[in-house]
Every structure is written in C-alpha cells, then in structure tokens.
Amino acid sequence: MDKHIAFITYETPYAPGGGIAAVMAHLPQAVQSVSQVPTFVLTPFHFKIEKTSRLEAEMDTIASFAINFYSKQITVEVKYYFTDVGWIFLKPILPKSSSFQLFSGTRHPYDVHTLSSKSQSNLLLDSLFFGKAAAGALEIICPDCHWTILMQDWEAATCTLALVQKDGNKSIKSSYLTMHNSYDSGINQEILAGAGLEELPIKGHTVLETALQLVHDPVFTVSEQFALDLSGEIFQSEIMIPHITHQVSQRLYGINNGPFIDNQLPEQVLQAGLEGDVAPLSEWKDLKRTQALEIIRSFNPTREEPIWGDINEFSGAALPWFVMAGRDDSRQKGYELACLAVDKFLEQSDQACFIFFPIPGDEGLEGIQFIQDLASKYPARVLCFPFLFREGYFPILQGAAFGMMPSYYEPFGMANEFFLNGSSCLGRATGGIIQQIVPYRDAKSFNNAVSTRSDRWHSNQASPSGFLFREEDGIENALADWQAINAADYIINKPGKNRLKKRGDLTLIRKMSSEMNSCINDADNLYTSDRVKYFEFIISGISYIRNNFSWELAAQKYVDKIKI
C-alpha cells in the first residue's frame, strides 16, 4: 500500500495569519526529504487573500466533489499547485445567492465575522467544512494510500472528526495533532448535525476535546518548553485549556521549530566575530542603521499606513534601538506590557529608542491606540508602524540593538528572527523564548524565576546571547489576574478603560512590567558600557540558533514519532 503524508492546515505562507504559516513554509518539505514519502499540504482556498487568489492561474483543478453542509450540496474544487511538495487548495463553489461565505478572511485567514444567529462563529463553520473537504480530498488524491495526517491546531483537527465518521473505527489513516497554540472552539450536537457530523462515535464539548479522543499519540507542540507550559503554567492549564489538560498532560511531545529565516549577517562578518574580531559586525550594524534611517525619513505615511511618533525628530544615532514586532493578539503578544515598561524607562532616561511594528489583530488599529499614545508622549524616542512595513522592517531590525518579546505565553517565538538579523534579544521567560535566548546571568533581571526556567536548557557556562525576565512566582491573586487578562474586559477606544489601563491595574501586570523595565535597563547598560560584549552576544546568539535549531532535526523527530 502506498504511503503518503498530509499536513492539514488552515493557514499557510499563501494565507498567513501567524506562526503556522512560517512553519508550513519549511516543515512539510523537510518531512518529505527525511521520510522520502510523498508529502502534501491541504488548505482552504482563501479567496479574499491575494497571496492565495493570485496563484489560482497556476493551479490545476484535478477533481471536484460535493459535500452536504447545512442542508446544501456544496461543490468543492480540488486545486493542485506544486513547489517542493504538493499543495492542495480546497475551493467551495457557492451560489451567488448564498447567505454565507466560506474561507472569506480578508486581512488574514482567521479574519472572519461572527454570525448573528446564535453567535455562531464563521471560523467554526469554515473549520468544520474544511475538515470534511480535506477528508474527501484525501480519498481523491490517492484512494488506496495509507495516509498519515498531521493536523495543525483546532481549525484543522476537524479533519479527524470527518475521517472517523466516514470510516468508523476502521480508518486506515494515522492522524496526529500539533498544537501551535492553545485556542479551541466549542461545538454542540446541533452544530455537528448541521455540518453533517452528527454520527461521531465519541462526544466532546469542544473541537479539541473531541479530536483528542481520536488522534494518535503523541500530541505535538512546537517547542519542548511549551509542552511543559501547557500542563504546568497557570495561564495554560487553568485558564486556556483546563477542559483538556487531563487529555494531553501525559501525551505532549515538544519538537522545536527550526529558524524562520536564514542568517542575514555576511558569513565573513560572522566568522570574524567567531574569531574574536567584532569590528566588522560593528561596521555592518552602523551601515544598516544608516540605511534604516534613510528609509524612515523617506517614508510618506498615509491613512492606511500611518506612522506614530515624529520621524523628523527621531534619530538616536548613538542610542540603542529596541524593536517589537508581530500580529497583535491581546491574550498573547504583550504590546501593552511593553508600553508600560517602556514608559517607565523613558520617564527616567532618554538614552534609548523604541520602534514598534504591530500588525493589527482582531481589535484593529483602535485596539493598539495605547502605542500611539506612547509615541505622542515621546515622539523623538518612540516610533510605531502599525501595518506590514515590508520595505522597512528588516533594515530597521538589522540596525537595531535588541528585539523584545514580552509574551504572556509563547509556543515557539521569533527570537531566532531577531538573532539571525544581527540583533540581540530580550524576552519574558516563557515557552520557546527560554530555549532560544541564552540569558546573561550577571543581569539584575536574572532572578530566581528566570533561573528556575532557564537552567533546564542553558548551563552556567553557556555564552549569553540576550536577556530574560520573569515576574516572581507565587504572586497573590495571580489566577484572578490571568482570568482578567483572558476575559479581555476593556473598552478598546477609551483611554481610561482600554487594554493598557485596565491591565496596568493588575498586580500581575505591574510585576511583569517592573521586571521588563529592569531587563530593558540591563540591556541598555550593556550596550552603552561594553559594546564589545554586546557584539559578542549577537555572535553567540546566531551560533546558538544555527547549532541547536533546524528543520531537518525537527522533521526527523516527527518522522521518528509518527506511524507512516
């Protein structure tokens, strides 16, 4: 019997929304190379996202079939696009008179509306339809194959529901789940019946609670530390996933992602640094900073692409630049935490600059107005580009001193991206951040809470590459504060009641921001007092990432654990 592997994923590099897209850009090809088994990626055709729609002319429609979904017979076109692996895009053909759309995300694939009827999420409907479509497509692509499927998060875990209903317990397919995140979605019998999945042999109140009864062991996560966090961190085990902690705590297996980019530092510069000569790195950083300033000053803001802060006053030619970037997820990213810490720093010192690259999330620009407030308060020291600033992001990052990751939790994280662009990094000691940053143990911010977590991965003798901070353990009312963070009970467009203000009143957040402020001070002091050691941090960081994280290693670990 032929063997095939399929990644089932709601987002890809052709419809990016977060970290899964970055993983799908690398892991399927690596798994195919290691396993020598034909590998496919099955994903929705997100018709409103340009990266997907513009590829349609290069796709071949290899089949079509019908799905019964909410009393409608919906045709699904199976579209094939080949790169290093086979990409299968599943395109529903809905009549123009249809009252709903499928896969209609605009800014990103999860950017879909909530239906007014029964508060039913379009994302849930998308995911249930996607699961059925993926199950049907597997039968068409290779009906006699033994499929090993690797489903990415709850939106793709619906595929195993469809497969089990289709084949009962005699399914020949081996199915696995990778948790890039801990989000889930509730389901009930009425929703399942509408989707044509009412005959499941098992029951559950959420997609993951149901799917976890069907998938094979292990349940994967995208870093070894996040596997520990899912059952050991309060925010995860008692807030995010208490309904499935008992199902996953003994089944989790963390496999570290590889780096998301290649090293951007010229090899001769890196080699000189490894040999103890950091002068070429210093020159390279100066050049990048000059180029970045030219890009900043030549940029013409628009209503759609505004700049917060004053690009004419902003310079800081001799000051360290601290950069924070990524899509705004109010329960995860920590932009408001960074603003609290930066505000405190700038109240006491003007010897650093801060540049934010937030991609607006579900709350849009209104949700991150507190960054604009900070930039208005310190226009010469804080800039914010609240959009996808393609031409400016990497030159600015390469000219920057430090990347910042104040995450409330972090499955894997982008610290590798900072290092490989020639910057050091500071971050909250959680998830994959802990594994990617080798902390400077002489820093004031290296407290017992950091030591307890980082000692698992880094020895006392390891060459430091950056800074970790962490609030103390055992904070009174920490559970209640985490519940408040998760509840997101604030008014996004009211300064006195917005996210920053409401969360800034929480003891937990005050402790976090204090530790982050201490960490920024540590980084600033190193940069200004010992520039050679700072450059050594960058060289150590690049070396550590390159020596300890790779997609080939990740793929080998997946192949060793799954039944192909």
Side-chain angles (χ1 to χ4, degrees), residues 265 270 273-274 278 281 285 401-402 415 418-420 422-426 436-443 445 462-468 519 522-527 530-545:
L265 203 66
L270 176 60
L274 291 171
V278 297
L281 175 56
K285 294 287 288 183
F402 299 95
F418 291 133
F419 287 121
L420 295 174
S423 292
S424 183
C425 192
L426 66 88
Q436 293 178 63
I437 299 175
V438 183
Y440 182 41
R441 291 173 177 266
D442 290 338
S445 52
S463 298
S465 63
F467 299 84
L468 290 174
C519 194
D522 287 337
D524 180 62
N525 289 337
L526 174 74
Y527 184 89
D530 195 339
R531 196 68 59 86
V532 171
K533 181 177 285 187
Y534 161 75
F535 288 128
E536 289 172 350
F537 274 32
I538 294 174
I539 298 297
S540 294
I542 295 172
S543 299
Y544 183 79
I545 295 297

Side-chain angles (χ1 to χ4, degrees), residues 365-392:
L365 281 176
E366 283 188 320
I368 52 174
Q369 285 296 309
F370 52 83
I371 307 179
Q372 185 177 23
D373 295 340
L374 184 70
S376 297
K377 187 175 180 180
Y378 307 102
R381 290 291 177 264
V382 177
L383 287 181
C384 179
F385 301 87
F387 55 92
L388 193 59
F389 190 20
R390 298 181 189 278
E391 63 270 36

Side-chain angles (χ1 to χ4, degrees), residues 13-289:
Y14 305 111
I20 296 179
V23 174
M24 291 301 102
H26 301 278
L27 187 58
Q29 178 185 352
V31 166
Q32 178 173 262
S33 177
V34 168
S35 68
Q36 294 297 297
V37 173
T39 299
F40 296 80
V41 183
L42 277 68
T43 190
F45 185 91
H46 296 287
F47 69 97
K48 289 187 177 181
I49 296 178
E50 184 185 0
K51 283 188 174 182
T52 295
S53 62
R54 73 185 181 196
L55 281 181
E56 187 168 15
E58 302 177 46
M59 299 177 186
D60 294 323
T61 301
I62 60 174
S64 65
F65 60 96
I67 286 179
N68 181 28
F69 193 76
Y70 276 81
S71 303
K72 294 180 176 63
Q73 285 290 112
I74 301 176
T75 298
V76 179
E77 290 184 348
V78 181
K79 292 182 171 291
Y80 180 71
Y81 175 74
F82 180 76
T83 56
D84 296 304
V85 296
W87 293 83
I88 303 294
F89 292 85
L90 303 171
K91 183 177 182 179
I93 307 299
L94 292 164
K96 293 182 179 180
S97 60
S98 176
S99 59
F100 68 95
Q101 293 180 316
L102 293 162
F103 311 146
S104 61
T106 304
R107 295 174 300 173
H108 53 80
Y110 309 105
D111 180 29
V112 293
H113 299 292
T114 298
L115 300 178
S116 58
S117 173
K118 302 179 182 177
S119 297
Q120 208 163 290
S121 167
N122 262 359
L123 182 57
L124 175 59
L125 295 186
D126 275 11
S127 300
L128 292 170
F129 184 87
F130 173 45
K132 293 191 68 174
L138 291 172
E139 297 291 336
I140 289 174
I141 298 168
C142 188
D144 298 322
C145 284
H146 181 288
W147 283 98
T148 298
I149 63 173
L150 295 161
M151 300 172 294
Q152 314 299 305
D153 275 349
W154 75 264
E155 294 88 350
T158 55
C159 183
T160 201
L161 310 187
L163 287 171
V164 168
Q165 176 156 305
K166 189 180 185 68
D167 296 331
N169 292 323
K170 298 179 180 179
S171 174
I172 62 170
K173 302 162 186 72
S174 303
S175 61
Y176 297 88
L177 173 68
T178 297
M179 294 179 67
H180 298 254
N181 219 302
S182 46
Y183 292 135
D184 198 358
S185 177
I187 53 174
N188 57 42
Q189 196 60 28
E190 181 182 358
I191 292 172
L192 290 173
L197 295 170
E198 67 274 17
E199 299 300 327
L200 289 173
I202 45 84
K203 306 295 180 186
H205 297 293
T206 72
V207 171
L208 288 185
E209 186 179 13
T210 307
L212 283 166
Q213 300 175 64
L214 303 170
V215 298
H216 291 76
D217 286 344
V219 175
F220 297 107
T221 70
V222 292
S223 74
E224 295 166 285
Q225 181 63 48
F226 190 53
L228 299 173
D229 289 352
L230 282 170
S231 57
E233 291 275 1
I234 291 176
F235 191 34
Q236 296 298 329
S237 63
E238 299 192 43
I239 306 293
M240 299 292 286
I241 59 166
H243 60 297
I244 59 171
T245 301
H246 66 287
Q247 287 181 271
V248 299
S249 59
Q250 301 301 316
R251 304 170 63 189
L252 291 166
Y253 185 77
I255 298 180
N256 300 324
N257 285 335
F260 296 138
I261 63 168
D262 294 328
N263 171 42
Q264 300 301 298
L265 203 66
E267 284 296 327
Q268 65 271 25
V269 173
L270 176 60
Q271 188 57 42
L274 291 171
E275 294 172 359
D277 180 8
V278 297
L281 175 56
S282 177
E283 294 171 4
W284 184 82
K285 294 287 288 183
D286 287 344
L287 173 63
K288 293 299 178 181
R289 178 173 292 223

Side-chain angles (χ1 to χ4, degrees), residues 469-487:
F469 71 91
R470 177 84 183 201
E471 69 283 1
E472 66 195 62
D473 291 313
I475 294 174
E476 188 175 358
N477 297 323
L479 178 59
D481 285 357
W482 279 120
Q483 289 170 333
I485 291 170
N486 189 57

Side-chain angles (χ1 to χ4, degrees), residues 335-352:
Y335 276 111
E336 67 279 9
L337 175 59
C339 285
L340 289 166
V342 169
D343 190 15
K344 184 176 180 180
F345 176 89
L346 290 175
E347 283 179 349
Q348 301 167 343
S349 170
D350 65 351
Q351 296 303 298

